[in-house]
Amino acid sequence: MGGMSGPYVIRGSVSLPEAELQWRFSRSSGPGGQHVNTSDSQVELRFDLARTEALPEVWKERALARLAGRLVGGVLTVRASEHRSQWRNRETAAVRLASLLAEATAPPPMPRRPTKIPRGINERRLRQKKQRAETKRGRAGKDWS
């Protein structure tokens, strides 16, 4: 397996800046074999969202607002330890970070335009309502005993 598989695209022509990613490796928790005590397969990927120059300003503001609960001092941290190989965990962490940023920088959805009820439908509803009222009024005067 060669190096990392290419740049991780966030959206369009914007991708994760390799130079701004900080990697930390540690031992994964959980059970393991003889190899587990020697390999640092858990990956922690840190990305300084507050200071980055890689994202357009609008995206950055949007991401900072949406990810506010996840940031620690403007830094976004992603952990991956599900694979036994460090390389695969690196891949997973990078993909996860890219998709997090893609979601956080997405433009807000278009506002919903309320649909207008067609006149015919409204008139039919009022007609049926009147008819029902007539039926009920017709019952009122009768003494059913």
Side-chain angles (χ1 to χ4, degrees), residues 17-43:
E18 217 35 74
E20 292 182 25
L21 300 179
Q22 299 164 328
W23 299 90
R24 259 189 47 208
F25 307 103
S26 54
R27 295 189 188 136
S28 286
S29 60
Q34 294 92 331
H35 180 61
V36 76
N37 296 328
T38 57
S39 62
D40 290 346
S41 60
Q42 175 173 284
V43 172

Side-chain angles (χ1 to χ4, degrees), residues 18-94:
E18 217 35 74
E20 292 182 25
L21 300 179
Q22 299 164 328
W23 299 90
R24 259 189 47 208
F25 307 103
S26 54
R27 295 189 188 136
S28 286
S29 60
Q34 294 92 331
H35 180 61
V36 76
N37 296 328
T38 57
S39 62
D40 290 346
S41 60
Q42 175 173 284
V43 172
E44 187 180 281
L45 175 57
R46 297 163 63 88
F47 177 62
D48 196 339
L49 187 56
R51 292 202 193 86
T52 185
E53 298 295 316
L55 298 178
E57 204 52 44
V58 186
W59 286 23
K60 196 158 112 176
E61 283 165 20
R62 220 181 271 156
L64 283 168
R66 288 187 187 164
L67 296 173
R70 281 198 63 153
L71 300 175
V72 179
V75 178
L76 182 61
T77 307
V78 173
R79 268 199 198 88
S81 61
E82 44 273 15
H83 302 295
R84 288 174 63 171
S85 103
Q86 186 195 90
W87 190 83
R88 283 179 66 193
N89 279 332
R90 285 180 70 142
E91 289 282 293
T92 307

Side-chain angles (χ1 to χ4, degrees), residues 128-140:
Q128 286 173 342
K129 201 172 163 167
K130 257 198 192 94
Q131 211 172 358
R132 185 96 178 121
E134 276 299 313
T135 307
K136 289 188 169 190
R137 220 186 9 256
R139 293 175 187 158

